[in-house]
Amino acid sequence: MKQRKKQHDVWRALKANAIIAFLIWPLIGTSLAQTRSDSSLKVVVLDPTGASVASAYVVLQKGGANPLSYRSNDRGEVSFSKLTPGLFRLSVEAPGFEPYQLDVSIKPGSNKLEVRLNVAGVKDEVSVKESEKERATDPRGNAFSTVLTADQIAALPDDPDEFENAIRQMAGPGAPLRVNGFRGGKLPPKSQIREIRFRMNPYSADNHESDLMSIDILTKPGVDSWHGSLGFGFRDESLNARNAFAPFRGAEQFRRSTISLDGPIWRNHTSMFLSGDALSSYDSKTIVAALPEGPLTDVARRPQFRLNLQARVEHALTKTHTLHGEYQRNATRQDNLGVGDYDLPERAYASRDTEHIIRIADTGPLSKRLVNEFRFQARLEDTEKTASSSAPAIIVLNSFNEGGAQVGGGRTSREFELADNLDFVKGKHSIRTGLLLETGNYQSDEFNNAGGTFTFSGLDAFVGGRPTTFTRRFGDPALSFSRAQLGWYVLDDIRLRKDLTLSFGLRHELQKQLPDKNNFAPRVGAAWSPFKSGKTTFRVGAGIFYSWFDAATYEQTLRVDGERQKDLVIQDPGFPNPLAGGSEVVLPPSRIVREPNMVMPYVEQFSFGVQRQLNKFSQLVVNYTHQRGVHLLRGHNINAPLSDGVRPDPSEGNVVQVESTANSTFNGLMVNANMADARRHFFFAVNYFLSKATNESDSPSSLPANNFDLRAERGPAGTDARHRLFAVTNFGLASGFRVGAMFHIRSATPYNITTGFDDNRDTVSNDRPPGVGRNSARGAAEWDLSTRLSWGLGWGKAAEPGGGRPMVKVIRGGNRSDVLGGLGPVGSPNKRFHLDFYVQAFNVLNHVNLTNFSGVETSPFFGVATAAQPGRRIEGGTRFSF
């Protein structure tokens, strides 16, 4: 018996050690490269933007020996094998590009080299080879940027939503995301993404956004042979952990199928890319409520169905011009929305959304000095919402909500975007100018609160039948409107010295909806690399950034204008008949208006940063940013009752004015470190943000607690998390295995404390206790660790290099040639067919991340959380590609 117990203890210890090793292995160490008796070299040929260059003529020669020559394949790749270690001369030529030569030292084992060719005739008296200082101070080059290659992208989550979330966390809060220069739509499948670039150049005048970091996703260029993939991912509740607030482990199922196919339609001229992503899933949302008869804890199933289709065509118009055409159809259906937290199942509604996107782009030189980039996008979207119940809603503040969801109708939008950018170089000046025109047409019959809503301060008021207010929106919700906005700019990057570049820019933006047209935004920046090595670069910049008046807010001011629709508001109503209380006060109809002299909101921004190249594999970036928001949008009831209870205009009810009178401040310190060692197939990156964000309003629809003391609303922004850290790593192991991990931690965000009553009689129950500021309470910190393990095998003879075409994507006005990565191992030779398996775990340690903290003093949940982020989820899948 003792022997059996001892064996059991040993087996239990081995299992525990295995689990611990699996969890911490992605965060430590790298695999060592295997040495070989001979050497090989893999060359990847890229254009200045990082696009693959097919059919490039690559020659490798050692001393007086016979040269070895191949043409690059559709991925820009050429492989040389059975080489003797030593010094070689590498030469690369391609139509439309400057010739390139480099002396390469081949070491024992596998070596890899990436070279970037310069477009012929685009530069003005600039040598092909750049110094380290020139590269470090080129504001349009690779300085202050981080690039994820295809191998690193493959190690990220396979679920499209988790994949996008991981990318956004790597860039930081609010970073704009573009795919081939376009915003919106769905991300392409991972198999069709060539690279993801995180760029820090916010003061370029072609940027509308003020965010320090931007995300540029580039898809793979034209191909000369057929490739495809089939993938499937699956998870259900059997391997998941129970949510911390669920009475039992809720039902969950996730089935995702992906397919992609790309190849030549017209060899050497036209390539086609097709992809599809189908999802059928449901999860469980927790319900935590306090009812008069006692507490309620339950889970509700939320089904979701999604089908995304993409088709992309790239056609070589000339040797230097590639026409890009793309179509997307994205359809999503979600059921049982609106249920969860305090909302009971009868609050459910369904949502249908169908989106069509058409994109056309052309980039290339117009002459030896002029490079033009043209983009056009048309986005057509139809949405519809259907509530499961039309009964009046009952809101008992932060206790429970029942009745109908009070939403319905649909919206059809037709949005168009036209952008054109022109680059040219003259001596020390790299000049870019362009414009962005966005228009939209909208038809909508969306309605809200058509059945009416009773609001109670708490359970005692509900039991006693004493609502605080009853509101109901009535009238015809149907309307149509249009909008237009234009931005144009000019930018000049001046190369004063090899180690110093100054940038000056001016941007001007206009909106049809606003009378203010004086929206000029000057920008200035400098990059300086003072040391001889060129490994340390300082960058400073300042500028003004305007924000658009969004279509959704504009739509509300048109719909609830007091004529098309208006709000009925009754104070101290009866229940369930609001007009039978005996002491009810029926206000005149209420409406939403725009401030007549509204101006466009803007941000004044300044930042200072330093980048240090630690070694050939790693770099460190530190950046400080200060922002001051001016004329930000807020809601303001300009007809709220005075201290004597009388309204300024007794003939009207609430007049909620959307106005540009709020301000904000932001101070942030970002520290980014990353390391990519191609020899060991290792990548690691970490971002840390220390910040403080203060504002006076979180949205144009949020109302102040006191409409006569707007300064009292100044407090922490709703998204103010003082500390954020995100780390990601992945590396290859032996026998085709690859491991990755992501770790995210965020300090607590604020929430508001309110009394639950309408003490000032403005019909909004957002009054705060005396001496308590806005967003003065904090929730709890959140963190999670996710891991991914994959294994793949390949078979079949790889396609021979050659037969491709130069699908050219041209530089942005004078980027110089670059050599990236250096020499390193390339792993196993390419195979024609690949089969990959993966298993990934989200929140693998099942840490409880608390959310939905109640700030209502009359709630039984005051000061505590009533929800949590999902617990551990484990997903498995496979992909076949050829």
Side-chain angles (χ1 to χ4, degrees):
M1 182 64 104
K2 290 184 178 180
Q3 180 66 21
R4 185 177 303 172
K5 183 179 183 300
K6 184 177 180 181
Q7 292 176 349
H8 177 72
D9 292 340
V10 171
W11 174 240
R12 186 169 57 182
L14 288 174
K15 288 198 297 182
N17 290 334
I19 294 174
I20 294 174
F22 173 75
L23 296 178
I24 67 173
W25 177 250
L27 301 177
I28 61 172
T30 62
S31 61
L32 298 177
Q34 297 179 350
T35 59
R36 301 176 183 176
S37 58
D38 56 6
S39 298
S40 63
L41 172 65
K42 182 177 182 180
V43 179
V44 182
V45 185
L46 307 173
D47 72 10
T49 67
S52 304
V53 177
S55 291
Y57 189 60
V58 183
V59 180
L60 188 67
Q61 185 175 18
K62 183 177 183 181
N66 293 330
L68 303 174
S69 60
Y70 294 101
R71 288 196 177 272
S72 59
N73 62 12
D74 57 282
R75 298 181 179 85
E77 300 170 345
V78 171
S79 297
F80 300 92
S81 60
K82 297 183 179 180
L83 302 176
T84 303
L87 187 64
F88 287 76
R89 166 69 70 159
L90 177 70
S91 302
V92 182
E93 295 183 5
F97 294 92
E98 296 283 356
Y100 181 84
Q101 287 189 342
L102 180 70
D103 289 331
V104 181
S105 178
I106 303 296
K107 299 178 180 179
S110 298
N111 300 268
K112 181 180 180 181
L113 178 66
E114 293 184 356
V115 297
R116 295 202 178 200
L117 301 181
N118 182 48
V119 177
V122 173
K123 295 187 181 170
D124 184 23
E125 298 178 357
V126 178
S127 62
V128 173
K129 188 173 181 180
E130 255 185 335
S131 69
E132 291 293 334
K133 291 187 176 184
E134 288 177 305
R135 277 196 290 267
T137 57
D138 185 355
R140 309 186 196 184
N142 293 314
F144 282 72
S145 66
T146 302
V147 178
L148 297 184
T149 64
D151 288 342
Q152 294 158 1
I153 294 168
L156 295 176
D158 284 75
D159 177 80
D161 295 330
E162 299 284 357
F163 176 60
E164 182 174 346
N165 181 57
I167 296 171
R168 292 189 179 278
Q169 289 195 55
M170 294 177 69
L177 188 151
R178 293 178 287 265
V179 179
N180 295 326
F182 293 98
R183 295 171 296 174
K186 301 298 182 182
L187 299 187
K190 292 199 305 181
S191 61
Q192 292 185 2
I193 296 177
R194 183 180 74 252
E195 70 176 30
I196 300 176
R197 184 179 296 270
F198 302 91
R199 189 182 297 277
M200 293 176 58
N201 188 22
Y203 301 103
S204 177
D206 57 354
N207 291 332
H208 167 73
E209 299 89 353
S210 62
D211 301 277
L212 180 66
M213 187 86 71
S214 62
I215 309 170
D216 290 318
I217 296 178
L218 301 177
T219 57
K220 294 178 180 179
V223 294
D224 64 350
S225 59
W226 287 97
H227 304 272
S229 67
L230 292 170
F232 178 74
F234 174 82
R235 71 169 180 260
D236 65 14
E237 71 275 9
S238 61
L239 296 178
N240 294 349
R242 178 180 63 86
N243 188 286
F245 285 85
F248 53 86
R249 186 165 55 185
E252 179 173 351
Q253 193 170 95
F254 176 95
R255 289 192 177 100
R256 189 191 68 253
S257 302
T258 60
I259 183 172
S260 68
L261 181 67
D262 45 85
I265 302 176
W266 180 12
R267 186 171 292 275
N268 299 330
H269 290 83
T270 309
S271 294
M272 175 184 66
F273 299 81
L274 303 174
S275 65
D277 174 17
L279 171 69
S280 176
S281 69
Y282 54 83
D283 63 4
S284 295
K285 176 65 178 176
T286 59
I287 301 173
V288 177
L291 303 178
E293 56 270 24
L296 170 68
T297 303
D298 202 354
V299 295
R301 180 182 295 189
R302 299 187 303 182
Q304 179 182 196
F305 304 92
R306 183 174 65 203
L307 177 62
N308 300 332
L309 302 174
Q310 296 186 31
R312 179 166 51 95
V313 174
E314 294 197 8
H315 175 67
L317 297 173
T318 67
K319 291 182 178 180
T320 56
H321 278 262
T322 298
L323 181 65
H324 172 104
E326 182 178 347
Y327 169 73
Q328 290 188 25
R329 182 188 184 274
N330 306 309
T332 303
R333 188 183 83 201
Q334 295 175 282
D335 297 323
N336 225 21
L337 296 175
V339 180
D341 299 331
Y342 307 117
D343 292 283
L344 303 186
E346 60 197 87
R347 297 276 293 165
Y349 69 93
S351 173
R352 309 291 186 271
D353 183 279
T354 303
E355 177 187 56
H356 302 268
I357 295 178
I358 299 174
R359 291 170 173 171
I360 299 174
D362 172 59
T363 303
L366 301 178
S367 67
K368 291 185 177 181
R369 296 179 181 271
L370 297 178
V371 179
N372 192 74
E373 176 189 3
F374 170 81
R375 296 195 312 272
F376 172 78
Q377 175 174 273
R379 181 175 177 268
L380 299 85
E381 183 177 20
D382 292 300
T383 62
E384 182 181 0
K385 296 177 181 178
T386 306
S388 60
S389 171
S390 59
I394 297 174
I395 308 299
V396 183
L397 296 178
N398 286 14
S399 294
F400 73 92
N401 304 326
E402 65 180 7
Q406 305 297 329
V407 297
R411 188 172 191 257
T412 299
S413 61
R414 303 290 183 264
E415 297 179 330
F416 304 91
E417 175 184 322
L418 176 66
D420 194 84
N421 302 298
L422 183 67
D423 296 273
F424 61 95
V425 179
K426 181 64 177 177
K428 297 181 179 180
H429 299 265
S430 295
I431 301 174
R432 169 172 253 226
T433 184
L435 61 84
L436 171 66
L437 174 64
E438 296 179 341
T439 64
N441 297 287
Y442 306 86
Q443 292 181 329
S444 173
D445 61 356
E446 290 182 341
F447 61 85
N448 290 276
N449 199 24
T453 298
F454 291 95
T455 300
F456 294 85
S457 61
L459 283 175
D460 291 340
F462 175 75
V463 173
R466 302 187 306 273
T468 304
T469 59
F470 174 80
T471 61
R472 178 175 174 266
R473 182 165 295 176
F474 60 94
D476 184 4
L479 83 158
S480 61
F481 66 98
S482 62
R483 68 174 181 89
Q485 51 202 34
L486 171 68
W488 65 269
Y489 72 92
V490 61
L491 168 67
D492 186 7
D493 295 322
I494 308 172
R495 173 72 71 178
L496 295 182
R497 303 193 307 259
K498 287 185 176 182
D499 64 350
L500 179 62
T501 300
L502 297 181
S503 300
F504 298 94
L506 179 67
R507 187 177 182 89
H508 183 217
E509 296 184 335
L510 307 167
Q511 267 192 298
K512 174 185 175 182
Q513 302 95 307
L514 299 180
D516 177 33
K517 308 302 180 186
N518 186 25
N519 306 311
F520 289 94
R523 315 272 176 87
V524 61
W528 179 41
S529 182
F531 304 115
K532 184 177 180 180
S533 65
K535 294 183 178 181
T536 303
T537 306
F538 298 94
R539 177 173 289 187
V540 63
I544 293 177
F545 301 82
Y546 284 90
S547 299
W548 301 123
F549 180 32
D550 67 277
T553 304
Y554 180 53
E555 179 179 339
Q556 288 302 305
T557 64
L558 296 177
R559 173 176 283 119
V560 194
D561 59 356
E563 295 182 2
R564 181 178 284 108
Q565 277 198 313
K566 57 189 73 174
D567 286 333
L568 169 67
V569 181
I570 303 177
Q571 294 179 295
D572 303 321
F575 180 75
N577 184 351
L579 297 177
S583 60
E584 64 274 2
V585 178
V586 181
L587 300 182
S590 300
R591 58 195 176 100
I592 302 174
V593 300
R594 279 182 299 148
E595 180 186 9
N597 298 319
M598 178 187 291
V599 297
M600 191 179 292
Y602 66 89
V603 168
E604 300 170 344
Q605 179 171 296
F606 164 82
S607 65
F608 173 80
V610 58
Q611 173 181 293
R612 173 65 180 176
Q613 192 72 31
L614 303 178
N615 53 46
K616 62 181 179 180
F617 303 122
S618 59
Q619 68 174 8
L620 175 69
V621 178
V622 180
N623 198 90
Y624 165 76
T625 303
H626 170 77
Q627 289 182 345
R628 177 175 174 262
V630 183
H631 295 305
L632 305 184
L633 301 185
R634 73 185 334 155
H636 179 201
N637 186 356
I638 59 176
N639 200 40
L642 302 171
S643 57
D644 58 2
V646 179
R647 294 176 181 267
D649 186 352
S651 66
E652 291 202 273
N654 295 325
V655 180
V656 176
Q657 178 173 270
V658 179
E659 58 188 35
S660 52
T661 60
N663 298 289
S664 69
T665 57
F666 172 85
N667 290 280
L669 178 69
M670 184 203 75
V671 180
N672 170 269
N674 62 79
M675 181 172 68
D677 188 347
R679 296 177 307 171
R680 301 181 180 180
H681 303 283
F682 172 77
F683 172 76
F684 173 79
V686 58
N687 273 348
Y688 169 71
F689 297 89
L690 172 65
S691 63
K692 181 179 181 181
T694 305
N695 63 14
E696 297 170 0
S697 176
D698 284 322
S699 74
S701 60
S702 59
L703 291 170
N706 184 349
N707 288 280
F708 299 97
D709 186 9
L710 299 183
R711 291 187 177 182
E713 293 303 298
R714 190 166 185 84
T719 57
D720 178 43
R722 299 297 170 83
H723 305 275
R724 298 175 188 265
L725 184 142
F726 179 80
V728 58
T729 182
N730 61 76
F731 50 88
L733 305 174
S735 303
F737 284 93
R738 192 170 187 87
V739 176
M742 294 186 297
F743 177 75
H744 169 249
I745 185 170
R746 187 194 70 185
S747 61
T749 54
Y751 63 94
N752 206 25
I753 300 294
T754 62
T755 64
F757 300 100
D758 179 22
D759 298 316
N760 59 11
R761 305 292 289 175
D762 64 357
T763 74
V764 181
S765 299
N766 63 350
D767 299 43
R768 294 191 295 268
V772 176
R774 172 175 154 270
N775 288 342
S776 58
R778 295 270 172 174
E782 299 179 10
W783 65 266
D784 65 73
L785 171 68
S786 300
T787 61
R788 188 179 193 274
L789 175 66
S790 62
W791 176 77
L793 71 159
W795 69 93
K797 186 177 180 180
E800 294 294 332
R805 57 182 177 83
M807 297 295 291
V808 179
K809 295 191 177 191
V810 187
I811 59 175
R812 291 183 41 182
N815 284 352
R816 297 159 176 81
S817 61
D818 199 7
V819 180
L820 300 177
L823 303 178
V826 297
S828 302
N830 291 331
K831 298 295 184 179
R832 178 61 175 169
F833 302 100
H834 295 267
L835 184 61
D836 299 286
F837 300 90
Y838 71 88
V839 58
Q840 54 192 15
F842 306 100
N843 192 10
V844 66
L845 298 182
N846 197 31
H847 176 70
V848 177
N849 292 303
L850 301 175
T851 63
N852 200 40
F853 284 81
S854 172
V856 180
E857 290 184 327
T858 54
S859 168
F861 302 111
F862 175 66
V864 300
T866 57
Q869 297 286 355
R872 181 181 58 250
R873 293 168 294 157
I874 297 179
E875 175 186 338
T878 183
R879 176 180 290 107
F880 169 75
S881 58
F882 62 91

